[in-house]
Structures are given as C-alpha cells and as structure tokens.
C-alpha cells in the first residue's frame, strides 16, 4: 500500500476511535456507573491534560525549530515546561479555591468589575485566536503533504475538519477521547524517533541516543558523537554552532519568560484542573501530565538533531557537495508539491545544495521537519501515515479546547452578560457556534498568511497572554491592594504595548525585524515579558492614585491565600 | 341582483395565512363572507370575550398578549396570529385574558364556519388542534377541581366484582361473600347481569322469610339492579343511591364487547367507597392526622393516602399541586409523629429541626415515595441528648415506614447518626461537598440541597440554608460539577426525535418519565437556583424565581416549567392507570399507550429538556 | 341641540308626503337618537364617472353595515354588498381610477333599480362615508332623478370627525393627512390595495369603528351627535 492510502486508513481509524469513544461514553455511562466509577482516575486526566497542552505547535514545529536553530530553539522547551509547572503548582490551586471556572470570571470577581471581566474576555479571545491560527497552519501542513496539495488547500481542508470536529461533532472535551488522542500522538511521535535512534546510534531511547556515538550501517560504533558531528556540519556550512545558538542572552531570557508566564495565562488548560473533584487528585493528575509532556519534550532535541544530520547528509550527499536533482531523494520531490520545499539551481549544476548564505539552493520550511523525518530516514510507509494521524490529533485536541473557550466567552461573557441579557439558551448556543465558526475562519486566514512559522505564531499568543492576563491573575491572588482601575489599566497597557511591538516588527515593517532595531535587543517573541512588567507597573501606579479596594474583596483575597482547606474533603 | 365581487383585501390576507392556505377556493370565499370585523383600541386594555359566543379571532393588524388567570403570559400575538380557538375546540369557558398591546383590527370567525372548515380540511383541523395542545401546555391546564363533582366512579369502585351464577344456592353465595369479605355479589345468567344479592337481601328475603340455604340465588336477589357506567361521575352515583335508597351499584364497562351483548360488569361501588373517597380530601385528611392521639391510629389514617393520590389523579389535578398536597400530608404526618413521640420521650434537650430532603423537600412526592430526612440540632449534643434524639428519630422513621414511606435505601434518614448533626457539623458537611465535588458528593448534594424544615424553629434552619447558599453562589467549579452530574442522563429522544425505550431483556419497559424526565428538570433548576442563591426548593417555584431574577430567559423558563408540569402529569396519569388496572406502579410509560397528540406534546417537552441541558452545559461547563 | 334641529328638518320634509322616501326618512328618525353603539349604521362608498353630482353618474355603490357588538361595534362581511349601475355613454376617463370597464357594467342595474336597491338596503341605517358630502350629493341628485323629489340624507362623515379630532390636537393640518389611508394609518389599520366601492366602503367602516373606539365614554353619545347635516 502506498503512503497516501495508508494515511487515509490510519487517520480514518483514529477518527473512528475518537467518535467511538465519544458515543460509548455518552451512551454507556448511566448515573450509577458514573458514581460508582468515582470519576476519572488522575492518570487518565493527566493524559487528557497533556493532549490539551500539546498542540500542533509542539508536535509539528517544536522539533523543526530546534532542528533549524539548535540551542536557540530550546527556549520553547524551557519556557513551556516552566510555564506548565508554574500553572499547575502555583496558580491552579488558588484559582480553584476561589471557585472560578474561567480566568475572566476570576478577574471579574476579584476586581469587582464587569469592565475588568470584559477586558479579560477580550484578552482571552485575542490570545486564543492567535493560538488557533498556529494550529491551523500545522493541520494545513499535514494535509498538504498527505493529500499532495499545496499548503493553502491543506489549510482549507484542515479548517473543515476542525470545524466539523469542534462545532458539530459533540466529541470534544470528553476525557477519554483526549486520552486516546494523547496515545495516538505520543505513539506517532515516539515511533520514528526510536527507529532513527536505533539506526543512527544503536540506542532504543532517543534521549540516550542524543548524547551517544553514531553507528554505521552495520551497527559498529564510529567514535563520532552525534552532537559533535552536527556542530561540525553546521560549522562547515556556515551555520551557528548547533549547541551554541545565535540569540543574545537577554533575548533568550525574555522569550523564555514570555513563554512561561504566557502559559500560565492561557485559559483552556486551567479548566482541566477544575474538572477533577478533589484538589489532591488535581495535583496528582498535574504531575502525571508533566510526565506525559516530558516524554515528548525530552525526545524533541534528539529527534531534531537526528533529522538535521539526516537532512543535511541526504541533500548534500556523502561528499558535501550536493547530489544531482534527478537523483534527489523521494521526500524532496514529495514536499516540493506542497510548496514548502523549493529548489533554486543558482549555480546551474543540476545539483541540490543546502548551506547558510548565498550559495544555498534549498528553501526548506521548518514546519515540515517532524513530518518529513520518517521519509528522510526511509522508514516504512505506515510510520509516515502514523505521524500524520498524530499531528492531526495534536491539532484537534488543542483547537477544540480553545474554540470552546473562545466561543463560549463570546456568547456567554460578551453577548449574554453584556450586550443581550435577554437571549434564550438556544440563541446563546447559536452564537457560540457562530463564534467558533468565525474563529476557525479567521484562524484559517492567519494559517495561510502566517506571520511566521507555527511555533512563532504560538509564541506571540503566549507573549500576549503573559502581558495581559498573567499579571492580573498574580496580582489578584497575591496583592490585597490592586484595585479594578489598576487591573484594567494594567491589562490594557500590557496587551497594547506587546501587540504594537509585535505588529510593528512582524507586519508593518518586517525588514526592520533584526536585533539591532529591537528594544534592548529583545525580539517580538520575547516582548511579552516586557509587556508583563509594564502591566505590573501601570497597575500598581494606577492603584496608588485611585480608590481603595473594598474590604470584602480584601477578605476574599485573604481567604484564597489561607493555605488550609484549599478544598480538601473530609472523608466520611 | 347583487354583485358578489369579493372583498379582495380580506381574501388576499386570509388566503395567505396558514392553515387557511390549505382551503379550497370555494371554502375560502365562504369563510371570508362569514367574517365580522372588530377593532380593539389600546385604551380599552382587554378584549371583552363573550362566553356565549366563542369565535376564532384572526389578528389583521396590531398586537395582543394572552395571559392566564394568574396573569402569567402565555402567548404574544401579532398580525396573522389567532386566539379564541381553545374555547371553540373544547367548548369550555374562556379563562384566559387577552390584553390589547396596540390598536388592532381583528377578523372574527363564527363557530359554525370554523367547524365547517375543520371538516373541509384536515390540515386546517390539525393546525388548530396542535395550536390548542400547545396552548394547553402553556397554561395552567390541570386545575384541581372539586372532587365529588368531577371525580369518576372508576376511581373509587372495587374492581373485579364478585359474581355468582343465578342457579347457585344462597348459602354458596353467602360463603363466597364471607370469603371475599364483601357485602354483595352480582348474579349472572349466561354472562349477563340479572341481579344483585346483598347482605340485606339475605336477611330480608331468606332468613326473615324462613327459607333455608338451598334457595336459588335468583329467587332471593334484587332483580335488574340500578347500574352505572365506569366513567359516570361519583356525583351521579350518589344521586342514584339516595334516590333509590340503595348502597350498592354494579359498574359496567363503558362499551359492550359487541352489539348483541350488553357491557360486562367491571366493578362495584358501595356507599362506603364514596364516603372513603370523600374523607381522603387533603384538608380533611390533614385535620384527621392532627387529631390522632396514638401512633397506631395515625398509621390507620395514613392508609387513605393512596386513595387521596388516586382521587387527585382522576380529578386531573396539576402535577405540581398533587406533589404539594401529598407532601403537605407527609409533613403533617411527620409532625404528628414527632409530637406524639415527644409525649412519650419528654421534651427535647435542645432546639432542633426535622429536615426533609429530596422529593419531600422539593414538595413533589408521588406514589410510593421513600423517606429522605435528617435532624438539625442547635448545637453539639452530649451523651444524654444523643440518646434522646436517637430514640426520637428511630421512632419517627419507623412510624413513617409503617405509614407507607419506606426506609430510604441509601440510609439518608434521621435515624442514621450520620445525618443527625449539629448546625456546625451540617455546615461543614456541605462545605466538604462544595470543595470536592466528586460524583458521590454531587449525588448527595442533589438530595441534600433540596432541603426544607418540616418541624422546628425556622431561624435555625435558615442559618444552615443561608450558610450553604452563600457558598454555592458563584462557586463556578462546584456548579460545573453539579451541571456535569445532571447531564449524565438525557431525555429519551434519539435521532430524528424518536423515543428511546428502555428494555429489560426482550420486554419493553418504556420511557422512564422520572429519571429521564422530571428528575432532569429538577437537576437543572437546582443548579441554577444554587448559582443564584435562591432559597426556594420546589422546582416550579425555583424556575419562577429564576425567571423573575432574569437568570433564565423568560421564554426558556416558561417552556421548562411547562415541560416539568407536562412530564410530571404524564407520569402521574400513567401511574393512576397502572394502579386502577392493578399493575405494578412504575415510572415507565409505554408510547403505544399514547395518542398521537400526546406523543407530539411529550416529544416537545423532552426537546425542551434537551435544550435546557445544552444551555446548562454551555453556561456552567463552558462546553457544547 | 343638533339632534333637535335634525329631527325638525326631517319632520319638515316628511310632512304631508307618503312615498318610499318619506318612509325612508321616517325610519331614519327612529334611529338617530339611539346611542351610537347601538344604532344601525351603514358605511357606503360610490364610484362615479366624475366629480359633479349634476353631470356625472354613479357607476357602483358599495355598502358595508356596522353593527353593535361587544367591541362595541363590528362589521359583518356577510352583509357587505356592491352593485354596478348601467350608465349613459361610456365610463370615460375615470375608468383608469377604479378599474371598471364598460363590459363590467353590462350585467349591471338600471339607475332606478339601483336607487330602489339602495333605499331598501340602507333604510333605517345611518349612512357613514369618508368625505361624505360628495357621495351624499350624488345620491341626492340621483334620487331626485328617479323619484322626482329632493330629500335630506343625514350622514356621518369620517373625514369631518377626523378633522375635528386632529384640530383638537394640533393646530395645523398637514396636506393629505385627511385622506382615507392616512386616517387609517393613525389607527393602526392596514392599507388596502384595491379601490372599488366595496373595499372603500369597508375601509371607511373600519375607520369609523376605530374612531368610535378611540373616544372615551362612547356609550353616552347618541348617533345624532356624529351626524352632520
């Protein structure tokens, strides 16, 4: 069977699995069963959280970006992991104690103001849109490759699939569906990584293979370490050393910070912690989620390095001068159809050649790395199909969660609570679906016209979250003085500064987007942290000159921070 | 001579209206010629309705509101809408009020033409029947009526009457009567009822005349006894009995099996049955409960409760009222049991409240309810107090059990020390459920949050209730848990709105109107009420309070309250039928027992529940 | 006062006469002092070949009765009628206005038949018309032609009523504000597209019912108080 048929087959089977689970969990769970089962076990919930968490960006682009930028790419790994820990351990328990299901609701109540809630809703919606745009691009890449269409058509197909899944399917948000999605995506990610690790280093675990000697085809050690080889290749071709990186220290620091604090402000993951009834279980499942996320995140650098070596060697050939286009590996031709790889025979020798600088003849989109790796390494066709299913699983689970947040926020928080208090349930639901549909369409637009590759788009979403929601939440929990005027001014100024900085460098004047022009050498991806400081500063300043916070709110904040009984049940 | 050139503007308007568009041209012309036109000025506020002249009102321009006697909005009407059809179809008195919102021009259609058109066009007929059914659901349809005047004979009679062949001996008849402990036997000749033999006949026509027991029954019986059909009114039976000085009435089936035979006897009604029926009216019953001086006689009185329920059902009372009436009887019984036991045990060592949970709390008890109760103590009891309340609660729960309120299978009863707690402990219990909304806690919450103090100082109870509501209000995480819990079950509608039936092996059990109907609405109302800190626990009252507080959209709230009443009423009616036909009383309704109109309405009601569940999921769980 | 004057005029005309018309006026006398809510009323409208009662002719007459009811007046459509009248010569230019073409009139009544019909149908009813003096003028002139006698036809003019009402509210009347459709709109009545005698009579009847409804204490008013002479 060829790759395409297999892809249809495996993607079809996984979809059937999700739908099957959804039907089973709807029909099979009578009340007695539900009560007897005592809810969802923490391990399962951990997997579901991990599926929510790991988006198409993690699955498709993370390894690609690490692969292309080496050490620089690791900021994503550090930022996201740190953010997750911050969210799970430092914020979720407090928010839970407050009894609020969504971040805007928390902000609205803590800052005793409908305006603050509305601003928070706007921020959340804005962030989610950006985030979904990243997912759409990822789905587009998957479809374009496996249906052999260009990436634009791929995004259209992806939009249809996500719309069907999120708006009509009725299978989203079901824990066991997400567990299945996690299983599919982690399996799809690990299988090629293990295959390649065995092929290149003889180690089954890619994490170990990453730091090990390379082996030749016969399995004998060559004495050359993978990373040394990669550094050598990079130097030879004029790239920065793989393990060194090119970003300035301050930029790395700020990007990591923005990603980390942005994570904590993302609305859709927090909800998962609240669907677990007991605080203890919520903590345990957060721990499990960290384990499940770590399985993938620790594999990313290894996979990135393997595929980098493989890629350079297959393009440039054994003698590093390039191979003839006619003899070029199959995967290059396959990906050319999507428009994500282009060959420009500058020196007219009929060979393909990849290097840094003017002599480079290959333009390779970073987002294809994970998807192309099995092909580059000539793995069996079913592995390639599996990766497609995995990418889809990652994109679906995350975008469904986000679309729910956006659409319910629009219909419930914006329309019902602000603009049309008299609408019926049915209309509210209708508006939610319309909002989700619009979300998909807008995300699709930005998926086709991306301001950067998937991970970078997503990084912007995090930057916005870090500059707007995160400070409001932190001050809400830990400050007894910040009042509504302060919070609103802080959120708006943080969001506005960050968005302006990003829009300027990414859209208005992209040619100026080099480190010399940046504020303190901080890239747009990292500016969210600056926005966060602005937010804090403005909030405290405005608080100083405006009315004091009411006493009952002070009492409320004190009760949140009161450590005992953050919801521990006494057993009876 | 006269030119019949039609009134073009009127015909144009009428012919475009559903269902008039389905009429033939000639019917349409005839219809238009029979119209009269009226004008309703806003200044006169209400449409004057002539009860002796019902007619169909077709709104040509303007706007109206239909309200019931309590002023509840039933419908809002504009151009092309109709009113007045309910009394046309039912022949009943007009009870709704039509308020004039704007100056309006209205066409009136007289009953004769209306009925003519109904005969002409099935579409026309069906349209108004549906509209009528819908309006019925929208309004307080099932008024509790005076029991003696609307009650039917079949609700009081004993079924399967004792019969004997006319050639049998009177001593055989007497033995049969003794065995069945009845005072009369129907005499049958060749499957035909020819007479009745009563205690009095045996006395007057056999013993007093000096005959022996071998006398044939037909020689001693009263021939050709007065009889009534099963759907006659109790009132008629009373009339017949007093007119003829008799105490026994054979009750015949409504229709004969075939034309040649007469309808078979299906029951027997005695004057005692009628007396019993009357004394089971709620106020009388409650009064009686309060007069009883010992527990045994209280248990005896409680035997009337099932009869009361049957009476209410056959009187077509609103389900909401049935629930309230039955619950107030249970409340009275509970209070009397507490008082009588306190007379034995002495005064309580501290203030306490007897709490009712679940259906008693919500005031929607129906047939065969179990007990859900608990004790709220003013403060932590010492050993002596513990002993006292232990004895009291055991005695009361046992008394309730003997009165027909079986022990709670989940042991949620005051006699269980777990649910006999001080105010402080109750508060902590509720908090623990709030903080860790696990499935079991939520199941408990759904029972305990519908609480009401049946006995004891109200302010003690309010301390508990306010404490709890303060914490449920705006606690989104807990409410999400509650919402999730109430969404586990869904109404029995499948694809294409087909009914989904439950099966037990190969046997079709039908639709569970409680767990997949009424209970779902109770759950929905509870989540909203807790989110808004509303103290009501009765579901219709909760919905009303939520509507007034503008938490549920007016239309949604009215629909939900209607659906609740309709499904609950169906459940009661079904149980009444099961009871009279001596089947097990269950919550299951089999769809083949319903008319197509009822099916349609039930489907509508379930759809309302389904939509309300979607709304709940959307609002409290942020999902859809 | 109005009532007395009206009665006096009618008595004067009837005096000494004993034909169809005086019976008609006699019947009129018996209803004018009834309350407006229980007096028999008849809305009428005419289609004419022109505007001059002396020269032009009536082409058709529409009559729509108004009856007492709970509301307090209602219009039974069963008794609404229209007749066509055979005229001398052709319909002429006005055909465009009311869409009556000559061959429509072929099945029509002669003028004397028509007047007989009119008298019979409206006997004992108070006439109601919009811009009534015009219609009444035509009727009087045609009755004169057929019966050889001029009589007084008391009537209610919905236009005059509306004018009084508007003047009480505003001091300036906008142009066209007294046209039938404009009046109807003020009472929330629908606009009718047709303009035959019957439809216009109906439109006028509805307008009058609406006007009566908008007056407080209608039951205390007698029919005579609405009548212009």
């Amino acid at each position: 069977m060829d790759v395409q048929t297999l892809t249809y087959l495996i993607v079809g089977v996984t979809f059937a699995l999700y739908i099957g689970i959804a039907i089973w969990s709807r029909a099979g769970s009578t009340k007695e069963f539900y009560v007897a089962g005592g809810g969802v076990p923490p391990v399962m919930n951990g997997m579901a959280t991990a599926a929510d968490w790991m988006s198409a960006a993690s699955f498709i682009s993370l390894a690609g970006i690490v692969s292309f930028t080496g050490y620089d790419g690791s900021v994503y790994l550090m930022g996201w992991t740190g953010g997750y820990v911050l969210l799970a351990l430092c914020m979720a328990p407090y928010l839970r104690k407050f009894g609020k299901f969504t971040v805007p609701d928390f902000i609205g109540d803590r800052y005793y103001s409908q305006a603050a809630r509305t601003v928070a809703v706007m921020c959340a919606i804005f962030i989610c849109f950006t985030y979904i745009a990243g997912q759409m691009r990822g789905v587009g890449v998957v479809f374009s490759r496996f249906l052999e269409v260009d990436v634009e058509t791929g995004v259209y197909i992806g939009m249809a699939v996500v719309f069907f899944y999120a708006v009509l399917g009725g299978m989203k948000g079901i824990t066991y569906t997400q567990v299945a999605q996690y299983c599919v995506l982690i399996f799809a990610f690990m299988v090629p990584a293990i295959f390649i690790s065995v092929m290149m280093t003889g180690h089954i675990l890619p994490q170990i293979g990453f730091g090990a000697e390379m082996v030749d085809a016969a399995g004998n050690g060559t004495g050359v370490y993978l990373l040394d080889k990669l550094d050598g290749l990079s130097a030879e071709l004029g790239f920065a050393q793989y393990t060194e990186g090119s970003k300035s220290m301050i930029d790395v620091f700020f990007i990591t910070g923005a990603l980390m604090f942005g994570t904590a402000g993302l609305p859709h993951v927090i909800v998962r912690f609240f669907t677990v009834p007991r605080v203890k279980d919520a903590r345990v499942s957060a721990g499990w989620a960290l384990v499940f996320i770590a399985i993938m995140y620790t594999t990313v650098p290894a996979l990135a390095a393997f595929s980098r070596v493989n890629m350079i060697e297959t393009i440039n050939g054994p003698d590093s001068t390039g191979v003839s286009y006619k003899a070029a590996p199959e995967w290059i031709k396959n990906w050319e159809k999507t428009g994500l790889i282009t060959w420009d025979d500058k020196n007219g020798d009929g060979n393909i050649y990849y290097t840094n600088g003017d002599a480079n003849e290959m333009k390779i989109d970073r987002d294809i790395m994970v998807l192309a790796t099995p092909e580059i390494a000539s793995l069996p066709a079913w592995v390639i199909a599996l990766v497609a299913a995995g990418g889809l699983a990652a994109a679906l689970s995350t975008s469904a969660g986000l679309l729910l947040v956006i659409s319910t926020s629009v219909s419930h928080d914006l329309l019902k609570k602000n603009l049309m208090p008299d609408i019926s349930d049915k209309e509210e639901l209708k508006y939610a679906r319309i909002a989700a549909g619009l979300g998909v369409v807008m995300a699709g637009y930005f998926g086709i016209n991306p301001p950067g590759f998937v991970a970078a788009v997503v990084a912007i979403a995090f930057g916005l979250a870090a500059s707007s929601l995160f400070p409001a939440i932190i001050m809400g929990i830990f400050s007894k003085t910040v009042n509504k005027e302060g919070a609103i001014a802080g959120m708006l100024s943080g969001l506005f500064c960050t968005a302006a900085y990003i829009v300027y460098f990414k859209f208005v004047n992209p040619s100026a987007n080099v480190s010399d022009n940046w504020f303190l050498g901080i890239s747009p991806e990292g500016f969210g942290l600056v926005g966060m400081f602005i937010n804090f500063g403005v909030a405290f300043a405005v608080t100083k000159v405006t009315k004091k916070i009411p006493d009952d709110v002070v009492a409320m904040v004190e009760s949140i921070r009161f450590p005992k009984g953050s919801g521990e049940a006494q057993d009876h | 001579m006269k030119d019949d050139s039609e009134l073009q503007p009127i015909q144009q308007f009428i012919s475009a209206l559903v269902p008039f568009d389905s009429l033939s041209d000639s019917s349409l012309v005839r219809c238009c010629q029979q119209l009269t036109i009226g004008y309703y000025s806003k200044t006169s506020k209400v449409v004057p309705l002539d009860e002796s002249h019902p007619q169909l009102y077709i709104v040509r321009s303007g706007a109206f509101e239909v309200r019931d006697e309590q002023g509840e909005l039933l419908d809002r009407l504009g151009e092309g809408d109709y009113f007045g059809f309910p009394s046309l179809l039912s022949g009943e008195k007009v009870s709704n009020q039509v308020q004039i919102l704007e100056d309006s021009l209205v066409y009136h259609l007289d009953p004769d033409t209306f009925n003519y058109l109904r005969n002409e066009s099935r579409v026309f007929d069906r349209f108004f029947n549906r509209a009528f059914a819908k309006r019925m659901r929208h309004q307080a349809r099932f008024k509790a009526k005076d029991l003696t005047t609307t009650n039917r004979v079949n609700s009081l009679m004993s079924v399967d009457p004792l019969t004997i062949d006319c050639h049998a001996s009177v001593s055989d008849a007497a033995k049969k009567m003794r065995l069945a402990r009845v005072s009369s036997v129907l005499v049958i000749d060749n499957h035909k009822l020819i007479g009745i033999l009563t205690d009095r006949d045996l006395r007057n026509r056999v013993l007093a005349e000096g005959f022996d027991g071998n006398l044939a029954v037909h020689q001693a019986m009263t021939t050709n006894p007065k009889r009534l059909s099963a759907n006659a009114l109790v009132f008629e039976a009373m009339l017949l009995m007093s007119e003829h000085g008799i105490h026994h009435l054979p009750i015949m089936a409504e229709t004969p099996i075939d034309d040649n035979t007469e309808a078979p006897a299906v029951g027997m009604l005695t004057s005692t049955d009628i007396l019993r029926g009357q004394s089971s009216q709620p106020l009388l019953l409650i009064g009686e409960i309060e007069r009883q001086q010992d527990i045994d006689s209280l248990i005896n009185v409680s035997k009337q409760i099932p009869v009361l329920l049957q009476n209410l059902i056959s009187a077509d009372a609103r389900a909401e009222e049935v629930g309230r009436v039955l619950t107030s009887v249970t409340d009275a019984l509970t209070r009397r049991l507490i008082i009588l036991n306190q007379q034995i045990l002495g005064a309580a060592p501290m203030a306490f409240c007897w709490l009712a949970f679940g259906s008693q709390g919500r005031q929607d008890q129906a047939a065969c309810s179990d007990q859900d109760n608990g004790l709220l103590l003013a403060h932590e009891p010492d050993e002596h107090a513990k002993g006292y309340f232990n004895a009291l609660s055991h005695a009361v729960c046992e008394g309730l059990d003997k009165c027909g309120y079986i022990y709670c299978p989940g042991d949620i009863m005051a006699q269980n020390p777990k649910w006999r707690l001080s105010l402080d402990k109750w508060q902590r219990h509720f908090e623990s459920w709030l903080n860790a909304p696990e499935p079991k806690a939520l199941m408990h919450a759904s029972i305990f949050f519908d609480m009401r103090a049946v006995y004891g100082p109200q302010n003690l109870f309010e301390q508990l209730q306010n404490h709890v509501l303060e914490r449920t209000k705006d606690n989104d995480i807990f409410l999400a848990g509650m919402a999730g819990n109430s969404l586990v079950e869904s109404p029995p509608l499948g694809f294409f709105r087909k009914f989904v039936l439950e099966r037990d092996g190969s046997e079709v059990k039908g639709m569970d109107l409680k767990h997949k109907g009424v209970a779902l609405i109770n759950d929905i109302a509870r989540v909203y009420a807790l989110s808004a800190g509303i103290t009501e626990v009765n579901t219709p009252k909760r919905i009303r309070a939520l509507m007034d507080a503008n938490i549920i959209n007016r239309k949604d709230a009215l629909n939900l309250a209607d659906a609740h009443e309709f499904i609950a009423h169906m459940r009661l009616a079904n149980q009444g039928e099961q009871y009279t036909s001596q089947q097990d009383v269950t919550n299951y309704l089999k769809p083949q027992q319903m008319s197509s109109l009822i099916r349609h309405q039930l489907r509508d009601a379930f759809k309302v529940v389904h939509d309300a569940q979607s709304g709940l999921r959307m609002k409290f769980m942020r999902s859809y | 006062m109005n009532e007395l004057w009206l009665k006096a005029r009618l008595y004067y005309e009837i005096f000494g006469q004993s034909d169809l018309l005086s019976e008609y006026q006699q019947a009129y006398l018996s209803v004018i002092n009834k309350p407006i809510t229980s007096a028999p009323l008849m809305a009428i409208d005419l289609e004419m070949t022109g505007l001059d009662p002396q020269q032009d002719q009536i082409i058709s007459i529409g009559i729509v009765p108004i009856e007492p009811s709970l509301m307090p007046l209602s219009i039974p459509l069963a008794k609404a009628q229209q007749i066509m009248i055979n005229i001398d010569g052709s319909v002429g230019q006005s055909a465009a206005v009311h869409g009556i073409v000559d061959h429509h009139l072929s099945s029509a009544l002669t003028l004397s038949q028509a007047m007989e019909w009119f008298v019979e149908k409206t006997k004992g009813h108070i006439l109601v018309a919009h811009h009534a003096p015009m219609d009444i003028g035509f009727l009087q002139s045609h009755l004169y032609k057929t019966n050889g006698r001029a009589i007084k036809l008391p009537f209610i003019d919905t236009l005059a009523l509306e004018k009084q009402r508007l003047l009480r509210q505003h001091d300036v009347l906008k142009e066209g504000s007294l046209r039938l459709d404009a009046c109807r709109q003020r009472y929330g009545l629908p606009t009718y597209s047709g303009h035959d005698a019957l439809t216009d009579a109906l439109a006028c009847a509805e307008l009058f019912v609406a006007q009566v409804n908008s007056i407080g204490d209608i039951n205390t008013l007698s029919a005579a108080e609405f009548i212009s002479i």
Side-chain angles (χ1 to χ4, degrees), chain B residues 524-539:
Chain B
I524 292 168
R526 186 183 309 114
V527 175
Y528 278 108
L530 293 178
S531 80
I534 283 170
T535 52
E536 296 288 356
V537 285
N538 177 263
T539 299

Side-chain angles (χ1 to χ4, degrees), chain A residues 56 60 134-144 154-155 157-159 161-162 391-392 395-396 399:
Chain A
I60 295 172
Q135 309 302 312
M136 296 310 293
R137 166 89 178 162
V139 182
V141 171
V142 175
F143 279 113
S144 64
V155 172
I157 297 171
M159 277 163 66
V161 171
V162 169
L392 219 49
L396 285 181
S399 32

Side-chain angles (χ1 to χ4, degrees), chain B residues 540-553:
Chain B
K541 282 188 190 161
R542 271 179 172 163
I543 295 174
R544 248 163 263 151
L546 288 164
M547 181 175 82
D548 292 340
N550 210 10
I551 288 162
I552 304 187
N553 166 287

Side-chain angles (χ1 to χ4, degrees), chain B residues 207-443:
Chain B
L207 296 175
E209 298 285 328
F211 290 112
D212 66 9
N214 292 326
L215 187 74
V217 166
H218 66 93
Q219 290 173 286
M221 69 185 183
T222 310
T223 49
N224 221 356
K226 298 283 164 218
R227 55 194 87 180
L228 265 180
S229 94
N231 69 347
L233 295 173
V234 172
F235 175 74
E236 294 172 82
M238 289 165 75
L239 217 63
L240 207 62
M241 284 182 182
S242 66
E243 233 169 86
H244 298 276
I246 51 176
H247 302 280
H248 298 86
L249 276 179
I251 305 300
M252 318 306 283
E254 286 166 43
T255 46
I257 297 161
D258 59 65
D259 293 341
N260 298 328
T261 57
E262 69 169 37
V266 290
M268 171 67 80
L269 185 72
T270 66
S271 47
T272 334
D273 292 333
I274 292 180
L275 276 179
R276 193 169 40 109
Q278 283 186 312
S279 69
S280 60
Q281 283 186 41
L283 282 177
L284 288 173
L285 189 56
I286 290 173
E288 214 175 317
I289 287 171
E290 275 159 9
R291 274 195 306 277
Q292 300 310 312
Q293 288 307 321
D294 60 87
I295 292 163
D296 285 338
S297 48
L298 207 54
I299 293 166
N300 206 23
V301 171
S302 73
K303 298 225 162 68
Q304 295 180 15
I305 295 172
V307 184
L308 169 68
L309 176 62
Q310 285 314 308
N311 282 346
L312 289 167
I313 291 174
S314 62
D316 219 11
R318 278 173 64 77
E320 189 187 340
E321 278 165 23
V322 174
R324 273 223 291 281
V325 167
L326 284 184
T327 309
S328 55
V329 172
T330 313
D331 288 357
L333 210 55
T334 311
R335 273 194 292 271
R336 195 66 199 157
L337 279 168
I338 295 171
I339 291 166
L340 288 178
N341 279 299
Q342 278 192 307
Q343 286 170 3
I344 300 166
L345 291 168
M350 67 176 84
F352 73 96
C353 282
W354 183 275
L355 303 178
F357 304 115
S359 61
Q360 193 188 352
R362 276 193 308 273
Q363 298 180 292
D364 64 359
Q365 283 190 311
C368 53
S369 300
D370 56 355
Q371 2 177 335
D372 287 314
N373 47 43
L375 266 192
L376 165 63
L377 310 179
H379 48 84
E380 204 52 42
D382 54 13
E383 281 311 310
H384 163 71
K386 270 184 188 163
Y388 176 89
F389 287 117
N390 187 36
L392 178 70
S393 56
H394 270 92
V396 175
C397 288
E398 195 193 334
L400 283 171
D401 181 57
K402 284 185 178 155
C403 289
Y405 301 91
I406 53 166
Y407 286 126
C408 168
D411 213 12
I412 299 178
M413 285 183 293
Q415 65 175 15
N416 179 351
K418 238 168 93 179
W419 308 123
R420 208 161 59 221
L421 302 171
S422 64
L423 176 63
D424 186 52
K425 284 239 173 95
W426 271 115
Q427 291 179 342
R428 265 193 272 156
H429 248 300
F430 276 102
E431 275 170 42
S432 77
W433 292 327
L434 287 171
N435 290 332
E438 311 170 77
K440 205 172 168 205
L442 291 168
M443 190 194 71

Side-chain angles (χ1 to χ4, degrees), chain A residues 99-100 172 411 413 422 425, chain B residues 474 476 553 556 618-619 624:
Chain A
K100 284 296 160 206
K172 60 219 170 282
S411 72
D413 296 324
D422 271 340
D425 286 1
Chain B
D474 296 331
D476 292 356
N553 166 287
D556 290 342
M618 153 109 207
K619 281 182 202 159
Y624 52 83

Side-chain angles (χ1 to χ4, degrees), chain A residues 26 29-32 34-35 38-39 95-102 105 109 166-167 170 172-173 271 274 277-279 403-405 407-409 411-413 416-417 421-429 432-433 436 565 567-570 572, chain B residues 418-419 428-429 432-433 435-444 446 473-478 480-481 484-490 515 520 523 528 550-556 607 611-624:
Chain A
R26 287 250 160 121
S29 59
T30 62
K31 211 151 194 157
E32 292 77 18
Y34 173 75
V35 174
L95 288 181
R96 185 196 175 86
K97 181 114 197 293
F98 198 83
K100 284 296 160 206
F101 204 64
T102 64
D105 274 339
D109 267 30
V167 179
K172 60 219 170 282
V271 176
F274 300 151
R278 290 141 133 308
V279 171
L403 280 171
L404 278 182
V405 171
S407 55
T408 56
S409 289
S411 72
H412 195 66
D413 296 324
K416 173 87 179 174
K417 286 195 177 151
D422 271 340
I423 56 173
S424 69
D425 286 1
K426 244 191 176 152
E427 288 165 308
E428 212 178 312
L429 215 56
R433 294 214 158 97
E568 233 25 85
Q570 65 192 81
H572 36 253
Chain B
K418 238 168 93 179
W419 308 123
R428 265 193 272 156
H429 248 300
S432 77
W433 292 327
N435 290 332
E438 311 170 77
K440 205 172 168 205
L442 291 168
M443 190 194 71
H444 274 145
S446 65
K473 208 179 159 197
D474 296 331
N475 186 340
D476 292 356
I477 293 174
F478 168 73
N485 192 46
S486 65
L487 293 171
V488 173
E489 292 278 6
S490 52
H515 296 102
L520 300 183
D523 286 346
Y528 278 108
N550 210 10
I551 288 162
I552 304 187
N553 166 287
R554 187 177 172 79
K555 199 177 111 208
D556 290 342
K607 183 78 188 6
D611 290 348
Q613 284 196 329
S614 306
L616 198 72
R617 184 179 289 122
M618 153 109 207
K619 281 182 202 159
F620 292 96
M621 302 180 72
R622 297 312 185 99
S623 178
Y624 52 83

